[in-house]
Amino acid sequence: MSQTSGRDGREASETNDNLSPAPITAMLSSRLMVLANLLKRGAILRYKRLAGLSSVEFGLVASLGRRPPMSVARLAEAVGQDKGQISRALAELVSRKLIAKSANPKDSREVLVSLTQAGLAAHDAIVEGAQERNRMLLAQLSHDELDTLLKQIERLTATAEAMLEAEKVSR
């Protein structure tokens, strides 16, 4: 019986099914989700430390960015959540004077949101933190490796989009 060293450094028997990864964990999609979740968790901690923002709040601030005011509906679409899901976060950001609300001059029934000066400062901290994290990731790859990786991600993304559309049709 051979021994292998696990991620935590402890030895595990290759024949012990309880310690072997389930086949799904070896799949590319699972590995990419683990990577994405690790990056997201690190980002959430960083943006909480840098700007005092929760994950939903930093998503809203990042989406608003240095753009013209946008409707709450458009913002909800940009972050992939419905208006109800973001309303509490918007209220909190307004109370902290990071976001300003105003009526749309073209349609007074529509509310527009934009970053205040304090919101712009939080946005800039997010961007700076994201750039630093990106530099740390890219430092692991040569120029050619990065180019290859980005091309492969584009191909995989296109395939994943097609798979999603096929699932939507199959409902």
mmCIF file of all heavy atoms in Angstrom, residues 3 6 14 27 56 65 78 85 99 103 127-128 133-134 139 156:
data_model
loop_
_atom_site.group_PDB
_atom_site.id
_atom_site.type_symbol
_atom_site.label_atom_id
_atom_site.label_comp_id
_atom_site.label_asym_id
_atom_site.label_seq_id
_atom_site.Cartn_x
_atom_site.Cartn_y
_atom_site.Cartn_z
ATOM 1 N N GLN A 3 1.758 5.396 0.097
ATOM 2 C CA GLN A 3 1.318 6.556 0.863
ATOM 3 C C GLN A 3 1.503 7.809 0.018
ATOM 4 O O GLN A 3 2.452 7.918 -0.739
ATOM 5 C CB GLN A 3 2.151 6.703 2.151
ATOM 6 C CG GLN A 3 2.057 5.526 3.089
ATOM 7 C CD GLN A 3 0.721 5.467 3.803
ATOM 8 O OE1 GLN A 3 0.238 6.468 4.270
ATOM 9 N NE2 GLN A 3 0.129 4.288 3.853
ATOM 10 N N GLY A 6 -1.085 14.543 1.654
ATOM 11 C CA GLY A 6 -2.232 15.393 1.332
ATOM 12 C C GLY A 6 -1.859 16.862 1.371
ATOM 13 O O GLY A 6 -0.731 17.226 1.704
ATOM 14 N N GLU A 14 -3.535 5.715 -0.542
ATOM 15 C CA GLU A 14 -4.205 5.863 -1.835
ATOM 16 C C GLU A 14 -5.427 4.973 -1.924
ATOM 17 O O GLU A 14 -6.336 5.232 -2.709
ATOM 18 C CB GLU A 14 -3.234 5.531 -2.966
ATOM 19 C CG GLU A 14 -2.187 6.594 -3.177
ATOM 20 C CD GLU A 14 -1.238 6.237 -4.308
ATOM 21 O OE1 GLU A 14 -1.621 5.434 -5.172
ATOM 22 O OE2 GLU A 14 -0.122 6.768 -4.307
ATOM 23 N N MET A 27 -12.291 17.712 -11.582
ATOM 24 C CA MET A 27 -12.728 18.316 -12.836
ATOM 25 C C MET A 27 -12.265 19.760 -12.935
ATOM 26 O O MET A 27 -12.158 20.462 -11.942
ATOM 27 C CB MET A 27 -14.249 18.254 -12.954
ATOM 28 C CG MET A 27 -14.788 16.869 -13.097
ATOM 29 S SD MET A 27 -16.582 16.933 -13.247
ATOM 30 C CE MET A 27 -16.942 15.199 -13.205
ATOM 31 N N VAL A 56 -21.274 42.718 -1.173
ATOM 32 C CA VAL A 56 -22.318 43.334 -1.997
ATOM 33 C C VAL A 56 -22.019 44.814 -2.195
ATOM 34 O O VAL A 56 -22.114 45.332 -3.304
ATOM 35 C CB VAL A 56 -23.718 43.139 -1.370
ATOM 36 C CG1 VAL A 56 -24.777 43.908 -2.131
ATOM 37 C CG2 VAL A 56 -24.071 41.657 -1.313
ATOM 38 N N GLY A 65 -18.335 52.796 -10.265
ATOM 39 C CA GLY A 65 -17.065 53.332 -10.724
ATOM 40 C C GLY A 65 -17.092 54.816 -11.019
ATOM 41 O O GLY A 65 -17.796 55.588 -10.392
ATOM 42 N N ALA A 78 -26.087 45.058 -13.737
ATOM 43 C CA ALA A 78 -24.617 45.030 -13.821
ATOM 44 C C ALA A 78 -24.002 44.102 -12.784
ATOM 45 O O ALA A 78 -22.984 43.452 -13.054
ATOM 46 C CB ALA A 78 -24.051 46.440 -13.666
ATOM 47 N N GLN A 85 -32.596 42.808 -3.891
ATOM 48 C CA GLN A 85 -31.383 42.306 -3.238
ATOM 49 C C GLN A 85 -30.386 43.415 -2.930
ATOM 50 O O GLN A 85 -29.651 43.328 -1.954
ATOM 51 C CB GLN A 85 -30.705 41.249 -4.112
ATOM 52 C CG GLN A 85 -31.438 39.931 -4.196
ATOM 53 C CD GLN A 85 -30.744 38.969 -5.136
ATOM 54 O OE1 GLN A 85 -30.488 39.277 -6.283
ATOM 55 N NE2 GLN A 85 -30.436 37.788 -4.635
ATOM 56 N N ILE A 99 -22.767 56.855 -1.642
ATOM 57 C CA ILE A 99 -23.602 56.903 -2.840
ATOM 58 C C ILE A 99 -24.646 57.993 -2.655
ATOM 59 O O ILE A 99 -25.196 58.154 -1.564
ATOM 60 C CB ILE A 99 -24.281 55.545 -3.100
ATOM 61 C CG1 ILE A 99 -23.249 54.527 -3.592
ATOM 62 C CG2 ILE A 99 -25.415 55.663 -4.106
ATOM 63 C CD1 ILE A 99 -23.806 53.164 -3.910
ATOM 64 N N ALA A 103 -33.308 61.894 -8.691
ATOM 65 C CA ALA A 103 -34.322 61.556 -9.695
ATOM 66 C C ALA A 103 -33.728 61.734 -11.086
ATOM 67 O O ALA A 103 -32.934 62.644 -11.321
ATOM 68 C CB ALA A 103 -35.547 62.444 -9.522
ATOM 69 N N VAL A 127 -9.944 49.591 -6.739
ATOM 70 C CA VAL A 127 -9.188 49.413 -7.989
ATOM 71 C C VAL A 127 -7.716 49.181 -7.684
ATOM 72 O O VAL A 127 -7.080 48.283 -8.255
ATOM 73 C CB VAL A 127 -9.381 50.628 -8.925
ATOM 74 C CG1 VAL A 127 -8.420 50.576 -10.102
ATOM 75 C CG2 VAL A 127 -10.826 50.682 -9.415
ATOM 76 N N GLU A 128 -7.162 49.981 -6.782
ATOM 77 C CA GLU A 128 -5.752 49.822 -6.425
ATOM 78 C C GLU A 128 -5.501 48.436 -5.835
ATOM 79 O O GLU A 128 -4.522 47.764 -6.179
ATOM 80 C CB GLU A 128 -5.328 50.911 -5.433
ATOM 81 C CG GLU A 128 -3.859 50.897 -5.107
ATOM 82 C CD GLU A 128 -3.478 52.024 -4.162
ATOM 83 O OE1 GLU A 128 -3.969 53.147 -4.344
ATOM 84 O OE2 GLU A 128 -2.689 51.758 -3.241
ATOM 85 N N ARG A 133 -3.535 42.778 -6.453
ATOM 86 C CA ARG A 133 -3.822 41.338 -6.456
ATOM 87 C C ARG A 133 -3.545 40.751 -7.842
ATOM 88 O O ARG A 133 -3.011 39.658 -7.962
ATOM 89 C CB ARG A 133 -5.272 41.086 -6.036
ATOM 90 C CG ARG A 133 -5.539 41.384 -4.561
ATOM 91 C CD ARG A 133 -7.036 41.412 -4.239
ATOM 92 N NE ARG A 133 -7.768 40.260 -4.715
ATOM 93 C CZ ARG A 133 -7.804 39.066 -4.121
ATOM 94 N NH1 ARG A 133 -7.132 38.883 -3.003
ATOM 95 N NH2 ARG A 133 -8.498 38.079 -4.622
ATOM 96 N N ASN A 134 -3.907 41.480 -8.884
ATOM 97 C CA ASN A 134 -3.682 41.013 -10.247
ATOM 98 C C ASN A 134 -2.182 40.881 -10.527
ATOM 99 O O ASN A 134 -1.741 39.899 -11.132
ATOM 100 C CB ASN A 134 -4.344 41.971 -11.236
ATOM 101 C CG ASN A 134 -4.444 41.386 -12.610
ATOM 102 O OD1 ASN A 134 -5.022 40.322 -12.809
ATOM 103 N ND2 ASN A 134 -3.878 42.071 -13.590
ATOM 104 N N ALA A 139 2.539 37.586 -11.639
ATOM 105 C CA ALA A 139 3.956 37.362 -11.379
ATOM 106 C C ALA A 139 4.311 35.878 -11.442
ATOM 107 O O ALA A 139 5.478 35.528 -11.625
ATOM 108 C CB ALA A 139 4.344 37.941 -10.016
ATOM 109 N N LEU A 156 -12.791 28.649 -23.232
ATOM 110 C CA LEU A 156 -13.614 27.985 -22.227
ATOM 111 C C LEU A 156 -14.849 28.814 -21.883
ATOM 112 O O LEU A 156 -15.936 28.269 -21.673
ATOM 113 C CB LEU A 156 -12.786 27.698 -20.970
ATOM 114 C CG LEU A 156 -11.674 26.669 -21.137
ATOM 115 C CD1 LEU A 156 -10.792 26.640 -19.894
ATOM 116 C CD2 LEU A 156 -12.238 25.294 -21.450
#
